[in-house]
Amino acid sequence: MSVMALSQIRIPLLMGNSLNAWSEALTGFSIWGFPLGLVILAAIPLVFIALYALTYGVYGERKISAFMQDRLGPMEVGKWGILQTLADILKLLQKEDIVPAAADKFLFVVGPGILFVGSFLAFAVLPFSSAFIGANLNVGLFYAIGIVSIEVVGILAAGWGSNNKWSLYGAVRSVAQIVSYEIPAGIALLCGAMMAGTLDMQQITMLQSGHLGFAHFNLFQSPIAWLPFLIYFIASLAEVNRAPFDIPEAESELVAGYFTEYSGMKFAVIFLAEYGSMFMVSAVLSIVFLGGWNSPLPDLGPVSLNAMTSGPVWGVFWIISKGFFFIFVQMWLRWTLPRLRVDQLMYLCWKVLTPFAFIGFVLTAIWEIYVP
Amino acid sequence: MFELPSGAEIQSVIAGIKASVGYFIPEIYLSVLFMVLIIVDLIVKGKKNTLLPVITITGLAGSFFFIYQQHAMTAGEMFFGMYVLDEFALFFKYFFVLSGILAALISMDDEYLNRESSGMGEYYSLVVAMVIGMIMMAAATDLLMIFLSMELVGLTAYVLTGYLKRDPRSSEAALKYLIYGAVSTGLMIYGFSLIYGITGETNIFRISEELRLHSSDPLVMMIATLFILAGFGYKIGAVPFHFWTPDVYEGSPTPITAYLSIASKAAGFAVLMRFFLTALPHGGAAYDNIISNNWVLLLIILSISSMIYGNVVALWQQNVKRMLAYSSIAHAGYLLLGVIMMDELGTQATLFYLLSYLLMNIGAFYVVILISNKTGSENLDDYRGLGKKMPLAGAALTVFLISLVGLPPTVGFIGKLMIFTAMLAKGSIYIWLALIGVLTSVISLYYYMLIPLNMYLRESLEPHKESLNVGLLSRIIMAIFMILTLYFGLFFTPLSDFAKYSSALFGNTVY
Amino acid sequence: MDQTLSSFGNVFAFLALGIVFVAGGYLTARMLRPSRPNPAKNSTYECGEEAVGSAWVKFNIRFYVVALIFIIFDVEVVFLYPWATVFKSLGVFALVEVLVFAGILILGLVYAWVKGDLDWVRPEPKVPQMPVMPDRKAEGGRA
Amino acid sequence: MLSLIVFLPILAGLVILAVPSSQKQIIRIVSLLAAVLQMVLAVMIWRGYDPSLPGITASAAGIPQGSFQFIERLPWITLDLGGFGPLNIEYFLGVDGISITMVILTALISAIGVLSSWTIQKQVKGYFILYNLLATAMMGCFVALDFFLFYVFWELMLLPMYFLIGIWGGPNREYAAIKFFLYTLFGSVFMLLVMIGLYFSVLDPVTHNHTFSLVAMASQSNYIKDAILGPDNVMWRYIAFIVLFIGFAIKVPMFPFHTWLPDAHVEAPTPISVILAGVLLKLGTYGMMRINFPLFPEVFQASMYVIGVFGAINIIYGAFCALAQQDLKKMVAYSSISHMGYVLLGLAAANSEGMVGALYQMFNHGTITAMLFLLVGVIYDRAHTRQIDKFGGLASYMPVYAALVTVAWFASLGLPGLSGFISEALVFVGAFSSVTTRPIAIVSVLGIVFGAAYLLWSLQRMFLGKRKPDAAYDLEAGPDGHEHIHFHDWKGKLDLDARELTMLVPLTVIIIFLGIYPMPVLGMLTTSINKLVEVLSPVVMTALN
Amino acid sequence: MEILTTIGINHYLTISAFLLGFGLFAVMTRKNALVVLMGVELILNAANINFLAFSKFNGGMQGVMFSLFVIVIAAAEAAIALAIIINIFKIFKSVDVSSIDTMKE
């Protein structure tokens, strides 16, 4: 049976073009009752996070930062410092894991786990390709918004559990920031959902495919879509504590905020979670407004660029590219904009983004009704 | 499982909603009033202590016009069985709007409340919100709607209770109200879920049909009924769901105490009557089988324990508000007697009693407010000698208390008379219940009379104080309450006819 | 197999794998890393200072206020999501309804705004002032 | 006419309300005017009353109001009770022989009470408003023929009484007032239930609606057989009778329910004691005669013996207690209990003599006890004490007072030639001639002996002999060489002054006159009493059944 | 995966009953106002599970709708509860329900 299943799985992996062909094949695949396919299905995003975080995340960010600041970045380990990430891994793995005596041990240990699991669970609904999605939920977008909130619990657990003033300040600030920005973010994504008329991530993506490439993307479907797009992008920066909204972990003020006390593997987990979230929000932004795994290239007359660059494997490429692009923008902003003060942060959220999100919501609703 | 309805279905749904909106105008009007109040509060700067109540009172009074128009509409379901418009609901619309007006009126005179630094904007809008919630409670015919409207009332009531933010008693009252409220509502929802499980319906008409057509596990039904009673019983403040009453009534701002003791209780009764008289069929006499769907027996137990407990514990209260709180528990018991009768007469009696209770209890609390404005106390000992210093207030309070005891020639007597008439109309089976009713009202005489006793029979502790005069407007209001209490005690036909007219419950299965 | 359930089964697999990954990471690290705790190392980090008291102290009430406002708005937004998926087929009627809904919601926002619940305490800029020291001589004399 | 007599005091009360409270004299005069006018009206009613018409029940001809006189009957409240038809509450007044006696008594005692209230100095306005309210309620009770109306008046009495005792009473007034209130309310709430039960059991013979009319209720043929208090429902009829009886017995007051009375009397100011003893106690027995017995005649038949026993207990127990009292007012209060026992005994006899005696005793007790309390009030005003042993030898210093006291005391113990004798004699004649009550009557005679004992003893201790060493007054030599007594704080006339005489002399005259020639009263009531006896007799009942 | 599909209504009801029990236990025994409120949330969620289970097994969407509204109301209630508790803490410096008892019995 297992051999049969293996043989069955090979074909769609290479050939399958139908929707979710890969993930459905994986879902049905089990060995001796153990749903190995499911594990593999889940492992793929996990591996992706790990790889991307270590390469693009650690090495890439350092290098990009360096370029922007006109310096070299890591150069010591290997050619151009290319093995720097490996060194980092080894360091984190064997570094002593200190648990402060005053900490709440349980929360201290559990916090990073929650943080990571929350971030990772969101990947379940990200369609990496027309053929691959972790879990094809009909409420995918909603689920993605909801599940990310679990991170708040992890942050609070980590900050509180550390029993360190910096950590607690950082955690509370971070929570306040995340929950506040969830309002404009939620409303902005709602606009996208209204344009699509569904919450299914695959459906949302599919509705944006077409021969004209980027012209089918939600962002270009209505002039109003730019408003929620920008709002969500700004809010998502705050949600993942990226600059200029990085006061929760502001090194110079709070000494890394809620993970001040963390070291070794626990730090690595937090770190993975952060980078996972970064990709997650970028991917959601891409899916809702920029067509997800759809190729942005239009068919130019006889040159059917779009058809050529479409397909399950191309889809993987496109969505990761789009995600990485936004991560790049995030890194870019980090070195461009100064950090906001707490009151500015709240001002921006409640008095700028939220009202504008509402305006965008109302306009989108009217647009969608009256301009078909 | 989650299929979207077809286009035609959607159109019919929309048409249904549009048709229902026409029957929903008073509620919409009040919601608009609620928002107008908030906006006025936000826009207008400076002293708003008269502007807001005036808007509230005139606005609420304006809703009478829309409610009156509903008389011409035929009784029926709206919003797909969520909501109903019948005489019973109309009665409570009048009732709650009136009580909202009165609450706003007496709030104007409460000096404690007006001293609240954060302003009164939310206060009046919350009062209006509570009116809306209670109106919807009285008309809700779906478990979901019942739950939502009860929560609307509850949530606003929590805030109103704790409105005096700096007063520890007020905050404590709010906390207790909230905790008991949340727990009992939680239990009620659990009961609802069981009912839903048994019948597969949340509409009370269809629940009743299902229960009649199919047999249900009596034990589960009993548990469900008990849980639901926890929610309703909490709202009406009946034993054993009364624990919040004394503290909340004592701690709240007095107008809110009055408002809760009357309107919130009445809303509880409205929903209790609608639910029990419509949804749950009742088989036979009250004594059949304890583990069956015998909610009447439950109500009887509730009623008896409320009457006895409320009246007995009130005996040794020193705080007037607290005493009135315990007495309100007792009154819940009397009101339940009318519900237990399960017939038109019983319903009529309950409604009449509610009307009379509105009049006399608001009056009593109003005088308590005026007195505490002057003396700064609600303590029984501080009422000494007030009869001489505040003659009209003393006389009015005495009349209200006499009415609360149920002595002629006051409206409270007629209320009791109607209740007992309804009971004896059933023949001899409920006589013992009526006996408990009258005996406990004798007990109630003792503690009610403690107030006039202190006011008239005892000398003031500070004999040199001059007479404490209240404003002319307050005196007029007080006198109106007093005269109405007496007038309706002698000529109660209009009230009673109104109650009779209103006892028509749409789709009830019991009578 | 029920479609919905199976989808959430996948989510469950993600959850399980996530936990296993974290736990596995911890275990691996524990096997590899040294463990040599000492009191100084285990003390709470406060930039080198001795930690004073516990960090579990009271917090600025504004954080709670933000939480309260968030709860209300977030929950209301939840209602809009199901609506968003169907409103096109419902037409103008649904639009009007949701505008009423959003209007009330916006009124709530305005309310919180006007009441000042959205204001954060602004840090007062500390303008450095030249110290006026008339007694400099006296001090100097004492020194 | 009856409306006027009922509502005249309350009109006076409204007038008083408008008078500023500093004008005490005007307030008193308004009240007095109302009371005098009420008395005039009572006399007019008495003159216009036809003693040949019996009243009590509807007459055989089926006239709904029967042979009552001065009928005023208006629909008051009509309630739609759905399946039970309309609830008709009527404004229904009328008098028969029983009530007219009481109407006259009430008018008389009310007027005397106003005179006696002249000494009230504290919060005069409030006092007279309440007093007038009380007067209306009492009068209303005696003329109401609709049970509901009766009940309203009945309960209306409680509150003014409570305040009159509570505010203007003695040192222990709070306790006495609330005790009075609770006791009487306890009795009357049952009445409420019985009233409702009766409503559902009785049909008006003319309109065939349920009715509260006492006249309709008094005819057993109007009852619905299987209704809650219908003839078939024997158990509930017994229970209803008993609770009604208890309600009235508390007012009488009958033995186990009597404890409120001494407290109330001792604490109440003199005029209120007068009203309480003179009128209020009669309401209990009046209620029995008007409502309790005729509505449940077969139960009455069964319980005659018990009622008689309670009457005897009242007589003897009251006398015993009176014997033990040091406080003069308390003694008089217990003597009231004893004397009301005669009324109960007469009622228990259930024959014409007994019943006539009972009703006549009610009237006489009203006048005599009123006088007793007034006399106690006179001495209390002067001495500020009522302890019997604080006095002695008063007769030689206050001869007029002593004379009136003697008359009253002797009337109370039933000396021939005074009105008390005739009624007590009639009661005993009735009780002896009834087989049921004969043994009780024999025992009850003891009561007369004890009565004579406490009255004569107190008379002797207070008025005869010499001043006691710790008396409440001093002896001092007057300008004419005679010795006078001097009360410490008393500035007024030593012996009775004009106002006191105005109150006391008419009562004395009435007592003596009715002792010699009782017919003006007896003639008025005998027809009704005969009818009542007929209604209550087993023969009639079996005929009906 | 087979076990997931064979779960019957009783499984749900049992869990919900347990939740109800825990909630009631927390409400009755705990003194911290916040913990009491958490107990209330447990009760509400017990009801939610019931609603969803019944909705699944009876068919019909009312249960789902109901639980959605319960969640929403629970959030609103939590918001108000927090506000009140914060105020209580400001005044009493404690959120211990048993110590907040200024009004005599």
Side-chain angles (χ1 to χ4, degrees), chain B residues 229 236 269 272-273 276-277 282 284-287 294-307 332-350 419 422-423 426 429-430 432-434 510-511:
Chain B
L229 255 186
I236 64 175
F269 269 100
L272 180 127
M273 282 158 90
F276 281 108
L277 298 181
H282 174 72
Y287 313 97
N294 210 334
W295 50 273
V296 175
L297 191 63
L298 287 179
L299 289 185
I300 289 176
I301 294 169
L302 242 66
S303 168
I304 293 175
S305 44
S306 301
M307 288 189 292
Y334 296 124
L335 281 158
L336 273 175
L337 292 177
V339 183
I340 291 163
M341 293 309 110
M342 297 185 300
D343 57 7
E344 219 178 342
L345 200 52
T347 310
Q348 181 188 357
T350 310
I419 295 267
M423 299 181 83
K426 284 266 179 191
I429 51 169
Y430 286 122
W432 56 275
L433 204 52
V510 174
Y511 60 82

Side-chain angles (χ1 to χ4, degrees), chain A residues 188 219 225-236 285 289 353:
Chain A
L219 190 57
W226 284 89
L227 188 55
F229 170 75
L230 284 174
I231 288 170
Y232 182 71
F233 179 68
I234 296 170
S236 69
L285 188 67
F289 293 103
L353 293 184

Side-chain angles (χ1 to χ4, degrees), chain A residues 54-307:
Chain A
L54 292 175
T55 55
Y56 188 49
V58 178
Y59 183 71
E61 179 156 18
R62 287 180 177 188
K63 278 294 182 192
I64 291 169
S65 311
F67 288 141
M68 285 186 184
Q69 294 180 311
D70 206 9
R71 54 183 170 83
L72 291 174
M75 292 296 281
E76 295 295 323
V77 193
K79 182 76 171 165
W80 305 310
I82 204 152
L83 295 177
Q84 181 66 41
T85 40
L86 202 62
D88 284 346
I89 295 172
L90 290 173
K91 185 196 86 173
L92 286 174
L93 268 177
Q94 57 162 340
K95 189 160 183 172
E96 184 175 356
D97 195 350
I98 299 167
V99 180
D104 182 322
K105 300 280 184 306
F106 177 73
L107 288 180
F108 189 79
V109 172
V110 158
I114 297 174
L115 200 56
F116 177 77
V117 170
S119 165
F120 178 57
L121 277 178
F123 278 78
V125 291
L126 293 186
F128 278 89
S129 147
S130 56
F132 183 86
I133 185 167
N136 189 23
L137 300 183
N138 54 3
V139 289
L141 183 58
F142 191 65
Y143 165 86
I145 297 168
I147 206 76
V148 174
S149 303
I150 290 181
E151 284 186 46
V152 169
V153 180
I155 291 174
L156 211 49
W160 182 267
S162 299
N163 194 3
N164 175 313
K165 279 144 198 146
W166 309 123
S167 302
L168 189 54
Y169 274 123
V172 173
R173 279 186 184 185
S174 173
V175 169
Q177 174 180 325
I178 291 177
V179 300
S180 297
Y181 277 84
E182 211 163 289
I183 305 296
I187 299 172
L189 287 183
L190 180 67
C191 297
M194 282 155 68
M195 295 165 85
T198 174
L199 296 173
D200 186 327
M201 295 288 241
Q202 284 288 24
Q203 293 273 341
I204 294 174
T205 317
M206 298 234 299
L207 285 168
Q208 300 177 61
S209 55
H211 295 294
L212 291 178
F214 69 88
H216 291 284
F217 293 175
N218 275 340
L219 190 57
F220 305 101
Q221 286 286 304
S222 97
I224 299 153
W226 284 89
L227 188 55
F229 170 75
L230 284 174
I231 288 170
Y232 182 71
F233 179 68
I234 296 170
S236 69
L237 288 180
E239 286 210 61
V240 294
N241 295 333
R242 291 294 299 191
F245 306 104
D246 60 345
I247 51 162
E249 52 195 70
E251 301 92 339
S252 49
E253 298 170 26
L254 291 180
V255 204
Y258 56 89
F259 49 88
T260 302
E261 293 287 359
Y262 283 94
S263 57
M265 192 60 201
K266 295 198 184 73
F267 179 77
V269 169
I270 292 175
F271 167 83
L272 274 184
E274 292 241 312
Y275 276 100
S277 298
M278 275 168 71
F279 183 80
M280 201 279 297
V281 293
S282 303
V284 168
L285 188 67
S286 316
I287 292 161
V288 174
F289 293 103
L290 285 172
W293 40 254
N294 282 307
S295 162
L297 302 176
D299 283 352
L300 296 170
V303 189
S304 45
L305 274 178
N306 186 273

Side-chain angles (χ1 to χ4, degrees), chain B residues 27 79 102 206 233 288 311 341 475:
Chain B
E27 287 85 346
F79 297 116
L102 295 179
R206 258 155 272 152
D288 293 353
N311 278 324
M341 293 309 110
R475 272 190 282 175

Side-chain angles (χ1 to χ4, degrees), chain B residues 429-477:
Chain B
I429 51 169
Y430 286 122
I431 283 189
W432 56 275
L433 204 52
L435 278 180
I436 295 173
V438 293
L439 283 180
T440 49
S441 63
V442 175
I443 299 176
S444 78
L445 174 84
Y446 179 77
Y447 63 82
Y448 281 128
M449 287 321 279
L450 280 179
I451 297 173
L453 183 94
N454 274 290
M455 287 200 304
Y456 289 105
L457 272 56
R458 290 184 178 157
E459 291 302 320
S460 168
L461 296 173
E462 308 144 63
H464 303 302
K465 259 192 179 169
E466 288 300 299
S467 73
L468 308 163
N469 273 325
V470 292
L472 181 67
L473 183 70
S474 310
R475 272 190 282 175
I476 290 174
I477 295 171

